[in-house]
Amino acid sequence: MNAEELLQRYEAGETNFSKQNLSSANLMGADLIGVDLSHADLHNATLVLAYLNRSNLTSANLLGTKLCGANLSQADLLNANLRDADLQGAVLYNADLRGADLGLAVLLDANLIGADLRNVNLSGADLRGACLKGANFREEKRCYDGSNLRGTDLRGADLRGANLAGADLSRANLAGANLNEANLREVDLSQANLSETRLNGAFLTDANLSGANLSQASLRDAKLNRARLSDANLNDADLADATLNAVNLHKASLQHANLYRVRLNQADLSRANLKNAYLVEAVLIEAYLGRANLQGANLTRANLAKAELSSALLGEAILTGATLPDGSVEE
Amino acid sequence: MSDASALIAHQFERDTHAVRIKKLMLYACKDWWENDSARLSTIDLEELVDELHQRYPTLERLRSRLNHLVGMLNKSAEYQVVAQFITTGLSVLYVTSGSDGEAMTQIVNPSQPVTPHAKIAHLLESDANLSRIKKLLICVCRKYWEANPYVIEQTLLTDLLQELTKAYATLDCLRVGLAAAVKTLNKPIEYALIAEAILQVIEPLYSIEIPAAKPLKPTATNLVPTAAAYSPSKPLPIDLFDLRLEIFKYTNPLRAKILLFSLAYYRFEFRSQDWSNLKLYSLEGLLRTILSQAVSVERNLDRTALEDLQHRLQEMAQQFSDPSELGGSNGNEYLDVGQALIKALKPNYSVLQQQIQHTLQSGSAADTTCASPTQVVTQPSASPESHQNRDSLRADPKDRQEISGRTP
């Protein structure tokens, strides 16, 4: 079947083109709203700025297909093959992409608001500046594995309120992205770049952030209980009011970080570098600070009851009004 | 010292460009280019850090050498970023060896230069596109195109800035001069961006009141009420997420980009070259460019910057339509796009403008710090072919320009 025939038959009212072969067809700007192209072969086709709203592209072969600016809002793209596809500035608003393969696809500045991305493969994809507000990547036991976003480029992407629970974001680049209020429970963000990322109010409980770069990131009021942050870089990060109970910050660097009023109960801060960190009113009950560097840190009115502080470096640290491990209060 | 080196090496290893960092550092240390990944992996990054530090006694020498080497690579744009990253990483070593007490303050804000020209030069020197900035400045000051990387390296920015302020009496004259020069180059888009960056940074040199001693802190202190002692080390980057969201909600992002691109650079003609150029810019980067351009025109015209932008968007949209092969059916889509853009910009315009102006004055181009046009531009293109290109040495620097017309 060729492009002309498809357009003529669609014009005449036909919509079912399931399993048709349209590889390399030129359908630039075509109006195909609601068309059924499930299981169709559209690889290397050109669908730039086409209207494919509410179309059915379930299991379609869209390998290397040019879909820049195409409107795929509310389209069904379940298990579609979109590897290497070009979706720059495409509209995928509320699209169903469950199980789709988007490996190495270009989604620069694409609109993925509210899209269903469970079990999707986005490894190595380019999602710079994409809007993924409220998108769903959630892992569901026995139904959907966590989405694969290994090494994905998400710089400057808008992921506010997105659900990424259980997703694999290891080595992903999220510099400058906005993840405020996002659900990131149990995500793998090891070695990820999160510098200058906004993570205010985000849920990072049980997340793996080991070796991640969070320098200058904003994590106000974030929930990080039991998160693994060993060897992470949190220099100049803003963690005011964040909850970090039982977190592992072994060998992490937190120089000049704002830790105002954080809760770090039972946290492992062994060998952590907290030089010049701002820990005013921080709660560190039973925290382990073995060989931690607190030089120049401000611990005014902090609570260090039962904390292990004996081998920590405290040169020039400010401890006015702080509760010390033995329960006494520093004058 | 070795602790610091280990930290730096560790930081480099974790970077997405770890391999490139190693390649370039090795090249700077041993003067050979290594492409074999097996041999590369045997080389210890920490040792390279130390060796680099020993070999180049000052940060300036290191920067100069790296930039020189980058100019000889076929992927100079990509390696420019890597070089910048290496110098930033190693700057810690150079600072701590100086004085211990004020190490941190120096890293954030190295030695404050005194004269306004030196101050601006200092700001420009930290830009990843330093060599392009110099080339363009040489072009507008001395009316010829300098392609020799060594000469470019040796030309002092302070001298160029002195010449510049003598040659161009006002910022508007300079803007016209830069625009005219950019048009004659065979990479007009790239250099238009460079010109814009120069104008942004250089602006204080032309303003009557030079904000020298007066620190610019209008509301920053009020924003952090509780943590009195804690202040972020740099101004907050401009947040365009809400603006972008409005655009995403009401219009096609690709068409929005096409229209903004046409306004910022040249009219998009749907040619394959135009498509690949468009991919170099993010929507956010284009918005920043447009917003800063709007700031600059405001002083020249009676109408407000928003009205002017609206006018220009409408004008551009009117002469625009999708090519016939795209159907171009239901009238002109771009008029709607232009309206959607104005609708999104209108409510926040004064705030955005203030923020943009603030960053212009304080000289800290927010663009270079977050996911930004400068970074996006130097980003290797996402096409799979480019990943397959092996890094290799070339005899000629990639960046060589030819002046296709005559400079005025």
Side-chain angles (χ1 to χ4, degrees):
Chain A
M1 182 183 248
N2 62 30
E4 228 164 89
E5 192 189 337
L6 171 78
L7 292 170
Q8 272 168 11
R9 282 165 61 176
Y10 178 84
E11 191 77 10
E14 205 178 325
T15 53
N16 187 355
F17 301 96
S18 181
K19 294 180 185 157
Q20 291 291 348
N21 181 0
L22 285 151
S23 56
S24 305
N26 185 359
L27 290 157
M28 207 168 172
D31 181 344
L32 291 161
I33 291 172
V35 75
D36 182 356
L37 283 161
S38 56
H39 302 274
D41 186 358
L42 283 150
H43 83 269
N44 288 333
T46 305
L47 284 151
V48 174
L49 290 162
Y51 294 89
L52 290 155
N53 322 35
R54 293 204 176 197
S55 60
N56 184 356
L57 287 154
T58 304
S59 299
N61 180 8
L62 294 154
L63 179 83
T65 304
K66 287 186 182 63
L67 284 152
C68 320
N71 193 324
L72 288 148
S73 56
Q74 298 181 305
D76 279 328
L77 286 147
L78 275 109
N79 300 315
N81 179 3
L82 283 149
R83 276 193 92 78
D84 276 321
D86 189 349
L87 288 145
Q88 180 188 185
V91 184
L92 287 145
Y93 169 76
N94 276 356
D96 190 347
L97 284 147
R98 279 175 292 164
D101 185 356
L102 287 144
L104 299 170
V106 177
L107 288 143
L108 172 69
D109 294 312
N111 173 357
L112 285 144
I113 299 172
D116 195 339
L117 290 153
R118 281 177 287 176
N119 196 20
V120 84
N121 174 24
L122 277 162
S123 59
D126 179 358
L127 279 149
R128 280 176 296 139
C131 188
L132 292 136
K133 197 163 183 273
N136 185 8
F137 292 85
R138 182 180 71 231
E139 174 187 35
E140 283 172 43
K141 301 272 183 305
R142 290 189 295 280
C143 295
Y144 300 107
D145 293 338
S147 300
N148 176 0
L149 289 120
R150 274 193 289 267
T152 304
D153 193 345
L154 283 151
R155 278 177 295 166
D158 186 350
L159 283 146
R160 283 179 283 180
N163 191 340
L164 285 143
D168 183 354
L169 284 146
S170 53
R171 292 182 187 275
N173 191 347
L174 286 143
N178 192 337
L179 288 143
N180 288 349
E181 312 287 337
N183 182 350
L184 293 153
R185 287 192 174 97
E186 294 180 51
V187 292
D188 185 352
L189 277 160
S190 55
Q191 314 284 330
N193 183 356
L194 290 149
S195 59
E196 293 184 45
T197 304
R198 293 161 175 81
L199 285 152
N200 302 314
F203 293 89
L204 281 150
T205 327
D206 295 299
N208 178 4
L209 286 147
S210 47
N213 176 6
L214 285 144
S215 58
Q216 294 175 32
S218 180
L219 290 136
R220 283 177 163 257
D221 207 22
K223 313 287 180 284
L224 287 138
N225 291 341
R226 295 178 303 280
R228 280 174 280 165
L229 282 150
S230 51
D231 292 297
N233 172 2
L234 285 145
N235 296 338
D236 294 298
D238 185 357
L239 288 133
D241 290 306
T243 314
L244 293 133
N245 295 328
V247 83
N248 181 353
L249 279 158
H250 176 68
K251 279 193 171 172
S253 186
L254 293 132
Q255 294 184 68
H256 283 280
N258 181 14
L259 295 157
Y260 173 70
R261 230 159 47 181
V262 294
R263 267 139 295 174
L264 277 159
N265 298 331
Q266 295 173 324
D268 179 356
L269 285 150
S270 53
R271 291 182 203 271
N273 186 351
L274 288 146
K275 229 171 151 180
N276 300 315
Y278 189 79
L279 282 146
V280 173
E281 290 177 36
V283 185
L284 290 136
I285 299 166
E286 290 183 48
Y288 177 56
L289 287 146
R291 302 207 68 187
N293 186 349
L294 285 156
Q295 286 172 319
N298 187 347
L299 286 145
T300 307
R301 294 187 300 281
N303 189 344
L304 289 152
K306 294 185 193 165
E308 161 54 39
L309 208 59
S310 58
S311 55
L313 298 170
L314 283 158
E316 287 174 62
I318 305 163
L319 284 154
T320 322
T323 308
L324 300 178
D326 61 2
S328 65
V329 176
E330 180 91 2
E331 288 303 312
Chain B
M1 185 69 75
S2 63
D3 247 16
S5 312
L7 213 68
I8 294 162
H10 189 57
Q11 181 200 350
F12 287 170
E13 263 159 17
R14 286 182 309 179
D15 193 83
T16 39
H17 298 304
V19 179
R20 286 189 170 161
I21 291 170
K22 203 175 221 182
K23 283 181 184 174
L24 187 56
M25 284 174 70
L26 190 71
Y27 191 28
C29 286
K30 317 271 188 202
D31 299 312
W32 90 73
W33 189 260
E34 184 59 76
N35 262 329
D36 187 282
S37 56
R39 258 176 288 172
L40 269 173
S41 63
T42 60
I43 294 154
D44 186 53
L45 207 51
E46 198 182 329
E47 280 172 25
L48 282 182
V49 171
D50 282 333
E51 194 170 334
L52 217 54
H53 184 213
Q54 277 154 23
R55 196 164 167 174
Y56 302 98
T58 68
L59 191 61
E60 223 24 72
R61 290 239 198 121
L62 174 69
R63 196 200 310 274
S64 154
R65 181 67 186 159
L66 287 178
N67 283 341
H68 174 72
L69 295 175
V70 165
M72 290 158 70
L73 300 173
N74 66 337
K75 290 189 178 174
S76 53
E78 287 90 333
Y79 275 95
Q80 196 77 59
V81 186
V82 175
Q84 175 74 16
F85 191 74
I86 295 171
T87 35
T88 316
L90 261 75
S91 64
V92 186
L93 292 180
Y94 292 96
V95 171
T96 44
S97 58
S99 74
D100 262 331
E102 285 181 320
M104 274 320 291
T105 33
Q106 283 185 346
I107 293 163
V108 183
N109 205 355
S111 58
Q112 279 294 309
V114 207
T115 71
H117 286 89
K119 207 167 170 177
I120 303 295
H122 185 71
L123 283 171
L124 289 171
E125 250 149 27
S126 59
D127 198 288
N129 292 308
L130 178 60
S131 105
R132 283 187 169 177
I133 289 172
K134 278 188 174 175
K135 279 192 250 185
L136 190 54
L137 287 178
I138 293 171
C139 183
V140 288
C141 289
R142 303 176 189 171
K143 311 286 181 216
Y144 71 91
W145 190 258
E146 183 57 72
N148 184 338
Y150 183 76
V151 177
I152 294 159
E153 192 56 55
Q154 295 303 309
T155 310
L156 289 175
L157 261 177
T158 36
D159 294 350
L160 283 175
L161 291 174
Q162 297 280 9
E163 288 175 42
L164 199 69
T165 40
K166 268 180 207 147
Y168 299 90
T170 68
L171 192 65
D172 291 323
C173 294
L174 176 61
R175 180 173 289 112
V176 173
L178 279 169
V182 165
K183 272 185 196 154
T184 64
L185 304 172
N186 65 349
K187 287 184 184 168
I189 315 170
E190 286 88 337
Y191 277 93
L193 203 75
I194 300 287
E196 196 51 46
I198 292 173
L199 284 167
Q200 282 190 21
V201 177
I202 229 164
E203 203 236 30
L205 277 186
Y206 285 98
S207 59
I208 312 142
E209 191 192 13
I210 297 164
K214 200 171 63 181
L216 283 151
K217 263 189 197 171
T219 50
T221 37
N222 307 340
L223 287 172
V224 203
T226 43
Y230 177 80
S231 60
S233 54
K234 59 187 200 62
L236 292 161
I238 302 168
D239 189 334
L240 292 181
F241 284 103
D242 285 333
L243 172 60
R244 274 159 57 198
L245 185 60
E246 286 308 298
I247 294 168
F248 277 120
K249 272 193 212 160
Y250 297 111
T251 191
N252 180 301
L254 185 75
R255 285 207 174 89
K257 283 182 79 172
I258 288 172
L259 196 56
L260 290 169
F261 179 90
S262 301
L263 214 54
Y265 303 111
Y266 67 87
R267 201 180 135 152
F268 192 88
E269 303 263 19
F270 300 89
R271 296 165 303 196
S272 65
Q273 183 58 40
D274 302 338
W275 284 109
S276 43
N277 282 338
L278 187 68
K279 215 170 258 180
L280 295 172
Y281 300 90
S282 63
L283 177 62
E284 171 160 357
L286 291 169
L287 284 168
R288 280 171 189 274
T289 307
I290 292 297
L291 280 167
S292 54
Q293 283 178 356
V295 169
S296 353
V297 294
E298 194 193 23
R299 294 183 199 109
N300 313 331
L301 293 163
D302 292 335
R303 35 168 197 257
T304 67
L306 182 65
E307 281 167 355
D308 181 65
L309 180 59
Q310 189 162 10
H311 179 76
R312 288 194 299 145
L313 273 170
Q314 252 161 7
E315 213 171 48
M316 182 57 78
Q318 257 157 14
Q319 40 172 288
F320 230 87
S321 64
D322 287 335
S324 53
E325 53 178 333
L326 266 167
S329 48
N330 314 338
N332 188 346
E333 301 262 10
Y334 290 90
L335 284 172
D336 292 341
V337 177
Q339 268 160 18
L341 284 169
I342 287 297
K343 190 175 169 232
L345 280 161
K346 218 170 200 165
N348 304 306
Y349 197 76
S350 51
V351 180
L352 287 170
Q353 212 186 6
Q354 271 171 15
Q355 285 175 321
I356 292 263
Q357 250 160 354
H358 176 61
T359 45
L360 289 185
Q361 281 172 9
S362 62
S364 84
D367 305 68
T368 52
T369 53
C370 65
S372 60
T374 5
Q375 287 179 347
V376 175
V377 171
T378 47
Q379 167 71 10
S381 84
S383 63
E385 307 91 78
S386 69
H387 290 300
Q388 286 154 16
N389 290 340
R390 298 286 309 249
D391 303 325
S392 60
L393 289 168
R394 278 174 22 143
D396 289 322
K398 182 197 179 190
D399 216 25
R400 180 160 293 172
Q401 297 287 318
E402 289 144 26
I403 297 186
S404 44
R406 284 182 61 87
T407 34

